[in-house]
Amino acid sequence: MILMRFTFTILLFLALSGAHAQQHQADSVVSGERLKDELLALRADVDNIQLNLGRSERHFKAGIAVATLGYSVTIAGGLMLGRKRDDLGKALLLAGGVTGITGTFLMVDAFKFLGRAARKRRS
């Protein structure tokens, strides 16, 4: 009688643990797929951020170059004021100022790519 109860208890335990193992294995497959999907989504986010950083860097460098050139021309024009070439100095002041402001706008505009990466939210 004790041996039968012991055998019955062992069989019941094995049956329940087998069912639990099958459920756990099914959950592991689902979790593995979910993990794979999350990793792919994360990789896509990283790729998007790197793309936006690259664009931002190019635009920012172009803005620095244009602004530096423009403000250098402005300085040269200012140095020419009050001398023989006063009209040229005024023209250089105007052209350099416009070019410098354009370069500054390009630098500020470069940050829109960073904002695009930051605003993207996962659903």
Side-chain angles (χ1 to χ4, degrees):
M1 184 91 152
I2 294 176
L3 185 61
M4 273 171 96
R5 283 186 185 170
F6 181 72
T7 305
F8 178 73
T9 306
I10 295 288
L11 288 175
L12 182 64
F13 177 73
L14 289 175
L16 291 176
S17 66
H20 178 70
Q22 287 177 350
Q23 179 64 33
H24 182 67
Q25 187 177 19
D27 289 344
S28 294
V29 171
V30 171
S31 295
E33 289 296 320
R34 195 173 302 147
L35 179 63
K36 182 180 174 184
D37 291 342
E38 286 293 321
L39 285 174
L40 290 174
L42 183 63
R43 184 69 210 165
D45 286 346
V46 169
D47 289 342
N48 185 37
I49 290 168
Q50 287 176 340
L51 176 69
N52 284 322
L53 282 173
R55 287 180 180 170
S56 179
E57 179 186 21
R58 287 191 303 273
H59 284 237
F60 192 74
K61 285 181 178 179
I64 288 174
V66 171
T68 301
L69 176 67
Y71 293 132
S72 297
V73 170
T74 300
I75 291 169
L79 293 173
M80 295 177 79
L81 291 177
R83 300 200 174 139
K84 290 181 184 180
R85 301 248 166 146
D86 192 49
D87 292 337
L88 179 61
K90 290 177 184 177
L92 287 176
L93 275 173
L94 182 62
V98 169
T99 306
I101 290 171
T102 302
T104 302
F105 176 75
L106 288 174
M107 285 190 294
V108 170
D109 192 51
F111 289 102
K112 73 180 175 188
F113 296 107
L114 296 177
R116 287 179 185 170
R119 279 190 298 260
K120 184 178 183 206
R121 304 224 189 247
R122 267 195 262 171
S123 52

